[in-house]
Amino acid sequence: MHIVVTNDDGVVAPGLLALATAMRSLGEVSILAPDRNWSASGHVRTLDRPLRVREVILADETTAWACDGAPSDCVALALCGFLSKPVDLVVSGINPYANIGDDVTYSGTVTAAMEAVIGGLPAVAVSVDSPDNHLGLVDYSAAANVALKIARTMMRTGLPRGLLLNVNVPYIAEEMIKGIRITRQGNREYHDRLDKRVDPRGKPYYWAIGDVPTAQAEPGNDAEALKNGFVSVTPIQLDLTAYRFLPEMNSWNWE
Ligand code: MN
């Protein structure tokens, strides 16, 4: 099995190395990731300029590819022939913060997995719910082991085409994790405020600031699983059609 590992935090992020190391138990790993942080960049394809890729050596001496495009650009490159060997699975992460609820369309971690789905491949996005005020290095060991277990199960059982798994791991010791919950995508509440300032030339500029997003834990959703010490696994599809609204909308009078 040939696995592409990518992320949105940049090729030197420790979460990427932890994930790549774990995935080597499952198959041959190629690392192709952005050369800088693309967190919250969304689903991107760079079309107005060429993409450049260079070889880099990671902390454990393994070779990786660093690309100057977005996470989804990296996956597109990998699937369009940059890697001569056919790819069987794309795994993205490990993001140091949870990607739940409405985060999924912002998240470079998740949108990299979406690009794999568009390319017809199964994909897993992995994030760990470390607290925003966490000091020091994030420990990715539990999340990496969980990611391996989930990817192995998914490849053995088979995931229907068009789906990806969005995995969020609570930031607790591995032995404290209570298990895996299959969840639905919940909601996020963002607390953005606009801070308007004036530059030295008298022109206004804007910072979007605010407290960290919160999430409502509801029965069966991603936030509830994390809150209760479970790994949250949400099957995600790219079809965003509001099916429940179709019948009502079909009755609209367009005159
Ligand atoms: Mn990130």
Side-chain angles (χ1 to χ4, degrees), residues 8-9 37 39 95-96 109:
D8 78 351
D9 302 308
N37 195 314
S39 294
N95 198 65
T109 309

Side-chain angles (χ1 to χ4, degrees), residues 7-10 37-41 93-97 99 107-109 127:
N7 75 346
D8 78 351
D9 302 308
N37 195 314
W38 282 79
S39 294
S41 65
I94 299 170
N95 198 65
Y97 304 110
N99 278 306
S107 166
T109 309
S127 309

Side-chain angles (χ1 to χ4, degrees), residues 15-144:
L16 175 87
L17 187 56
L19 186 60
T21 306
M23 286 302 146
R24 284 197 194 100
S25 309
L26 195 59
E28 184 190 334
V29 169
S30 298
I31 302 171
L32 175 53
D35 62 5
R36 61 182 174 87
N37 195 314
W38 282 79
S39 294
S41 65
H43 198 166
V44 175
R45 283 298 299 275
T46 298
L47 302 176
D48 61 338
R49 63 175 174 89
L51 294 170
R52 294 185 189 273
V53 184
R54 65 191 166 86
E55 201 174 299
V56 292
I57 308 296
L58 300 186
D60 72 341
E61 309 268 294
T62 56
T63 303
W65 297 104
C67 171
D68 67 353
S72 31
D73 282 323
C74 294
V75 173
L77 273 188
L79 304 190
C80 286
F82 175 80
L83 301 173
S84 46
K85 206 172 168 189
V87 179
D88 303 297
L89 167 66
V90 173
V91 185
S92 176
I94 299 170
N95 198 65
Y97 304 110
N99 278 306
I100 57 176
D102 303 305
D103 296 340
V104 298
T105 58
Y106 290 112
S107 166
T109 309
V110 178
T111 52
M114 288 179 178
E115 189 64 24
V117 165
I118 287 173
L121 290 184
V124 186
V126 188
S127 309
V128 66
D129 187 25
S130 78
D132 190 59
N133 57 2
H134 179 76
L135 295 174
L137 297 174
V138 172
D139 182 355
Y140 291 98
S141 55

Side-chain angles (χ1 to χ4, degrees), residues 217-235:
E218 288 173 2
N221 79 2
D222 43 20
E224 189 212 33
L226 287 177
K227 187 182 165 199
N228 292 321
F230 288 87
V231 176
S232 166
V233 181
T234 311

